[in-house]
Amino acid sequence: MKKDTFDFSKFGFLLHTIIGGLACLLTSTILYVVLQGGVAFLAALDSLGLLVFDESIYALQLLLFGLVFLPSGFIGGLYTGHKVKENLYIILVLPGLISFILFIFLFNVDLIGGIMIQLSGNILGSYLGGYTMNWPPKKDVEENRKKLMVSS
Amino acid sequence: MRLSLFRPRLPFLIFIIIILVSSIIGYAIINSSIATHTSVLRGDYFRLKTDYLEVDFPKSWYSGKAEDINQTFGNRYIVYLAPIYLRAVVFFRIYDEKATQSFSYEHNITNMFSINSFEINQLFNSALAENINATLSIIENSTITVSTHEASYVVVDIKNGLKDNDVYYNLTGIFISLIKQGNNGKIIKQIIFYGEENDWNQTRDTFMIILNSIKI
């Protein structure tokens, strides 16, 4: 009689997704602390007073998006994309989402620019990282195209 | 022969491009913001212009604003400025007509001096929470002209009113209030500047520049 056993391999992707999310969270935290939530840019320019102007806040949001949340999502996506090879278009949303939720709950940070900057940066970065790991080399693409042309 | 040593994958290229574009645009906006908001009279000051307040303040000071919008109790606008590395802060609080009514009714405000008294009590109570032996002295109580309006001001000193790293310091503050006639009633405007005595004295000259630049 076949023994019922729990097949861990089916859920391996979940573990790698969580590890990817934690990598994303760790990178977000380090970059956010190093850049002091974007205030470091203004302090370097001796212009902390800009915080009172709306357009400066938007500029800081853009900088945080590009220099903190997108790269951290990318790191999480690289790991997840390296370990998981199937259903990437669904799975890659998870590292960014996990990191986003944990970051908000753990640190209760009043993010300059709000939560959308972090969420979109983490998820977009995660997709780009995941697909960077799984992007077919140019040689394969050309070979496939040749095969298609021959077969037709 | 084609160069094929480093051929980045498309998602990685997109990633790099997004980083570069967002950094360049963000940095450009910050620089243009510095140029736009620099005070015409003082190069090392910004000029903040809002519907309810115009003021110059040092570029290096930490700054922020908040709008407390409430349909029932009216709107309250707050701007705060603080020098970094010094324990002092400047507040501007502006109540609209509705908020002025609610504030006056709630705290039994009848004139400019009673606004200052209320704020001083608030500060003194918070000092007492830190140190039960804190003592309040009123140093000066008079009127001053702020942006062509007559305002009431009170200078206070709270002995041992600030606790920092288990050491007690004296608190000094100036509370300025004025009541202005708005379109639909009276409007309360407050300027509060307080901090640790030595730090307060160090920033006093800058505060006077700020005060003289105000347009309310």
Side-chain angles (χ1 to χ4, degrees), chain B residues 102-167:
Chain B
S102 334
F103 179 69
S104 304
Y105 179 75
E106 195 180 338
H107 302 294
N108 203 16
I109 302 293
T110 50
N111 55 24
M112 293 188 286
F113 180 73
S114 55
I115 303 168
N116 289 335
S117 300
F118 169 75
E119 293 297 342
I120 291 164
N121 267 329
Q122 295 277 99
L123 182 67
F124 185 52
N125 286 337
S126 67
L128 283 176
E130 295 261 308
N131 177 16
I132 196 77
N133 296 319
T135 51
L136 171 73
S137 328
I138 293 193
I139 311 289
E140 233 176 299
N141 178 13
S142 184
T143 56
I144 187 174
T145 303
V146 178
S147 175
T148 70
H149 301 282
E150 192 188 45
S152 159
Y153 79 92
V154 181
V155 180
V156 296
D157 189 42
I158 302 174
K159 289 268 180 256
N160 299 319
L162 178 70
K163 191 179 175 187
D164 191 10
N165 288 327
D166 289 333
V167 180

Side-chain angles (χ1 to χ4, degrees), chain A residues 45-56 59 62-63 66-67 70-71 74 128 131-133 135 138, chain B residues 2 9-12 15 18-19 22-23 25-26 29-30 33-34 37 47 57 59-63 65 84:
Chain A
L45 294 167
D46 199 27
S47 297
L48 271 179
L50 279 180
L51 284 170
V52 83
F53 302 108
D54 291 338
E55 71 267 27
S56 309
L62 207 56
L63 287 168
L67 297 177
L70 190 76
F74 190 82
L128 291 173
Y131 279 106
T132 295
M133 287 308 292
W135 202 252
K138 201 174 179 184
Chain B
R2 285 171 65 187
R9 297 167 184 193
L10 183 64
F12 181 69
F15 169 68
I18 295 175
I19 288 182
S22 62
S23 306
I25 294 176
I29 295 173
I30 285 176
S33 205
I34 291 175
H37 296 293
R47 179 104 185 135
F57 65 95
K59 283 182 174 176
S60 59
W61 280 28
Y62 191 86
S63 67
K65 64 179 175 185
I84 43 173

Side-chain angles (χ1 to χ4, degrees), chain B residues 17-120:
Chain B
I17 290 168
I18 295 175
I19 288 182
L20 287 176
V21 168
S22 62
S23 306
I24 291 167
I25 294 176
Y27 187 73
I29 295 173
I30 285 176
N31 268 307
S32 104
S33 205
I34 291 175
T36 312
H37 296 293
T38 297
S39 167
V40 181
L41 296 175
R42 299 169 193 87
D44 51 348
Y45 279 64
F46 284 128
R47 179 104 185 135
L48 171 68
K49 287 183 185 178
T50 66
D51 295 337
Y52 45 89
L53 176 74
E54 269 189 45
V55 66
D56 282 358
F57 65 95
K59 283 182 174 176
S60 59
W61 280 28
Y62 191 86
S63 67
K65 64 179 175 185
E67 292 184 3
D68 186 6
I69 308 290
N70 191 312
Q71 294 290 333
T72 319
F73 299 107
N75 306 330
R76 204 170 59 145
Y77 307 96
I78 300 162
V79 172
Y80 55 88
L81 310 167
I84 43 173
Y85 310 124
L86 291 176
R87 290 160 294 182
V89 65
V90 180
F91 280 104
F92 299 93
R93 271 200 214 118
I94 290 109
Y95 298 78
D96 71 359
E97 289 90 338
K98 212 171 182 178
T100 298
Q101 264 188 342
S102 334
F103 179 69
S104 304
Y105 179 75
E106 195 180 338
H107 302 294
N108 203 16
I109 302 293
T110 50
N111 55 24
M112 293 188 286
F113 180 73
S114 55
I115 303 168
N116 289 335
S117 300
F118 169 75
E119 293 297 342
I120 291 164

Side-chain angles (χ1 to χ4, degrees), chain A residues 130-149:
Chain A
Y131 279 106
T132 295
M133 287 308 292
N134 292 285
W135 202 252
K138 201 174 179 184
K139 205 173 98 184
D140 290 357
V141 176
E142 278 170 6
E143 275 174 10
N144 283 340
R145 197 167 55 201
K146 277 176 193 166
K147 276 180 196 168
L148 278 170
M149 283 169 75

